[in-house]
Amino acid sequence: MFKEKVIVITGGAHGIGKRIKEDFEKEGARVFVIDTAPGDWYVGDISKKETLEAFAKYVIDKAGHVDVLINNAPPIMRGIDSCSYEEFSNALSVGVTAPFYLTKLFNPYFAPGASVINISSSRDRMSQKQTESYTAAKGGIAALTHALAVSLSGRVRVNSISPGWIDTKYTEYQGPDASQQPAGRVGNPADISSLVLFLVSEKASFIDGENIAVDGGMTRLMIYHGDHGWKLDE
C-alpha cells in the first residue's frame, strides 16, 4: 500500500515516532526522519527556522515530493512554577510553529492524496498540575489541525491523534494502572502507529480535520471523590 511512498517524520528516533517509522518501512515506504538524537537520519533542532528550511530542501532534493508528513516531535513539559519564557517559547516552537512551517514548506510538493498527521495529546483537553508548556503546545497543534484541513481542502487531508498514556517500553502493567482504564490496559506505540497508517490510507479518505483520542477511554471516565474507590489526596 505504501511502497515507495515518501514519509516524513519529526521526532522519529524513539518512542511513537520510531514505531511509525518502522511500520512504514515494513510497507516499503521511503522514510525521512529528523530528530535531535544522533543517528542515521537528519539530525537537527526543529525549533530553528533554518533547520526546518534545510531539512525540507534535503527531503525535496532527495525525493521530489511528499506523500505523508507526521508532526510527532514532542515539546518540553514545564509548569508555571518553573517554566521560563524561553522554555515556553521553545515548547510552542517545537509543538506548533514547526508543524505549521514544515507543512507550509512542503505544501507545493505534496503529492495527490497526501496527508498530514499531527500528534497531539489527551492533554489538549485535560491537565495535570505544572504541565503548561506541553499542554499549550498540544492544544495548539490540535487547533492547527482543523485550520490546515480547511486551508488545504481538496488537496491534502490533515488529521491529528491525541494519545493518552503510551508506554514506549511496551511494559505490560497490572493492577490499578491497567484496570483504571476502560480499555483495561496501558497503551503502547503500536496503538498510535496503526491508526496513523489507517488515517493516511485510502480507507480513511473521508476523514479530514479530525482529532482522534487514543487513550483507552480515560478522557471519557468521570472521576469524583469516593467514586469507584477514588480518593482525593489533599
Side-chain angles (χ1 to χ4, degrees):
M1 183 186 302
F2 300 109
K3 187 172 179 60
E4 296 303 316
K5 295 290 187 181
V6 177
I7 316 297
V8 177
I9 307 172
T10 68
H14 50 79
I16 292 172
K18 180 182 178 184
R19 178 58 186 254
I20 296 170
K21 170 182 177 291
E22 292 170 346
D23 285 352
F24 272 115
E25 287 176 338
K26 289 176 184 176
E27 295 283 336
R30 297 180 64 190
V31 182
F32 293 85
V33 165
I34 183 169
D35 202 290
T36 55
D40 58 349
W41 42 74
Y42 195 101
V43 178
D45 179 358
I46 65 169
S47 71
K48 309 297 183 185
K49 178 174 182 278
E50 58 272 20
T51 300
L52 296 171
E53 292 173 342
F55 175 61
K57 183 178 185 303
Y58 171 81
V59 172
I60 297 306
D61 285 349
K62 294 283 188 181
H65 71 278
V66 173
D67 293 290
V68 178
L69 169 61
I70 301 162
N71 292 304
N72 166 75
I76 60 172
M77 185 183 290
R78 299 283 187 277
I80 193 168
D81 290 349
S82 62
C83 188
S84 68
Y85 179 92
E86 291 76 16
E87 288 173 325
F88 194 85
S89 296
N90 178 268
L92 295 184
S93 293
V94 171
V96 183
T97 306
F100 165 77
Y101 198 47
L102 272 182
T103 304
K104 180 180 177 69
L105 291 169
F106 287 132
N107 191 23
Y109 304 100
F110 281 126
S115 284
V116 175
I117 301 293
N118 295 322
I119 304 300
S120 182
S121 168
S122 59
R123 294 172 189 269
D124 63 8
R125 67 203 70 184
M126 58 193 298
S127 295
Q128 291 176 302
K129 293 179 179 179
Q130 303 300 324
T131 63
E132 281 77 8
S133 67
Y134 187 90
T135 300
K138 291 304 186 181
I141 199 172
L144 177 65
T145 295
H146 56 73
L148 287 173
V150 172
S151 294
L152 302 179
S153 61
R155 294 185 51 245
V156 181
R157 290 186 301 109
V158 186
N159 291 290
S160 63
I161 298 172
S162 290
W165 183 356
I166 302 297
D167 190 288
T168 58
K169 296 181 180 179
Y170 295 86
T171 305
E172 293 189 12
Y173 289 85
Q174 305 294 325
D177 284 334
S179 60
Q180 70 179 333
Q181 310 209 36
R185 66 175 178 87
V186 172
N188 62 65
D191 295 312
I192 308 305
S193 182
S194 61
L195 181 56
V196 170
L197 268 68
F198 169 72
L199 285 175
V200 304
S201 73
E202 283 297 314
K203 294 179 180 179
S205 62
F206 200 54
I207 301 175
D208 199 6
E210 191 56 76
N211 181 6
I212 302 173
V214 183
D215 67 347
M218 281 297 291
T219 53
R220 299 303 188 191
L221 177 64
M222 296 180 70
I223 300 174
Y224 293 99
H225 174 70
D227 191 20
H228 302 293
W230 292 94
K231 301 292 182 183
L232 177 63
D233 184 11
E234 295 185 281

